[in-house]
Amino acid sequence: MKLLCTILSFSLLCSSLSAQIFSKKSKLKNTDFQIPRSLETKFELNGGLIFIAAGEENEGMASLLLDTGAPTLILNQAVSEKETKLRVISVNGSCPITSKKLKNFQIQGMSIGKTRSYATDLSQLERIKKEKIGGIVGYQILKPFELFIDYERKYLMLFEPGASDLHSYIKPVGEIDFKLREHFPIVKVMIGNKKYYFGIDTGAEVNVINKRLKQKICKQVDFEKKTTRVHGIGGVSMVVEMGDLPEISVDQEIYEDVPFVFADLSRINSSTSFELDGILGFPFLSSGKFSINFKEGKLYQWDDPLEQANAIERVSMLEGK
């Protein structure tokens, strides 16, 4: 059977770190955000992953992965076992991670200010994606904003309430409720007549179903299975089964012919305060135009807001003449 090289969400590498960040007793927090109003920028799409220019002021910008499934800001840096007791855990490996403070972190020239970051070796991700990667921009950086992504145009917006034409002049065509569990937006997904709980994740190149649910789901729906190779940290990879579900319902919104891989999420679930049945990543999010509002717990669906914004601007110019 054909082997397809793909990457599971980096969030799957960060579950142990997430437990540290979201623990009430943890002192490892982001502080002193200097929140700007909004940012609009083009991004690079490598496979199904979003990369943007970001970095510490006066140290130059690097290409960082935008990953809502990662708990915080993570920089690409070799870390020895002697430096730290913290580790990140993936479905098929782990590696050491350490923390550091940044004086003025920036995204595409937008100042975030002082913030806490973490560092771990991402060289395996660099080899797979065949490019230099400075790190990962995760939930703790993104949570003050609403994040809009247009995969077709390779365009995104980060904005505070009222700082964009979205919602102010352009209205969404649909919305999906989610519950925030630690750094994961969790949505209700119906497969057949059974309810499951999936995380929304821009850092996943594939949609994922927990392997333990395979028999139950296969009894409910028929779909053709094949295999793909999934990579984790430390150079470890594994072959997993994949297939297309004829139909799923996400908070009553129907989606057809949705591709998934089956992966063992037991190690991930054992280190979080909740249990994931699966993940909705790039194949789902690129099927439309979505924005994630972390504060409101909403995944908004849009028609074509950029085209509508251009129309509004043209009308305003005509009215001003």
Side-chain angles (χ1 to χ4, degrees), residues 9 31 39 44 53 56 71 75 97 132 146 151 174 204 208 210 237 249 255-256 261 271 277 280 283 312 316 321:
S9 163
T31 58
L39 167 71
E44 175 196 353
E56 176 78 318
L75 303 179
I97 190 166
K132 289 289 185 181
E146 183 167 338
Y151 283 96
V208 183
N210 198 333
S237 66
S249 172
Y255 299 88
E256 297 179 340
V261 304
S271 58
D277 293 321
L280 295 175
I312 290 172
S316 298
K321 290 183 177 181

Side-chain angles (χ1 to χ4, degrees), residues 2-13:
K2 186 177 180 181
L3 292 179
L4 302 173
C5 179
T6 188
I7 299 176
L8 276 178
S9 163
F10 189 81
S11 61
L12 300 184
L13 313 183

Side-chain angles (χ1 to χ4, degrees), residues 118-160:
Y118 292 80
T120 194
D121 185 0
L122 302 178
S123 59
Q124 174 63 12
L125 183 58
E126 289 182 310
R127 286 191 290 270
I128 296 169
K129 302 311 294 181
K130 298 179 180 179
E131 71 169 276
K132 289 289 185 181
I133 298 173
I136 292 95
V137 177
Y139 167 75
Q140 289 287 335
I141 298 295
L142 301 172
K143 69 178 182 179
F145 306 98
E146 183 167 338
L147 169 64
F148 168 80
I149 304 172
D150 185 335
Y151 283 96
E152 183 180 3
R153 290 186 173 92
K154 299 179 183 177
Y155 171 88
L156 67 80
M157 290 188 283
L158 283 173
F159 59 92
E160 294 180 287

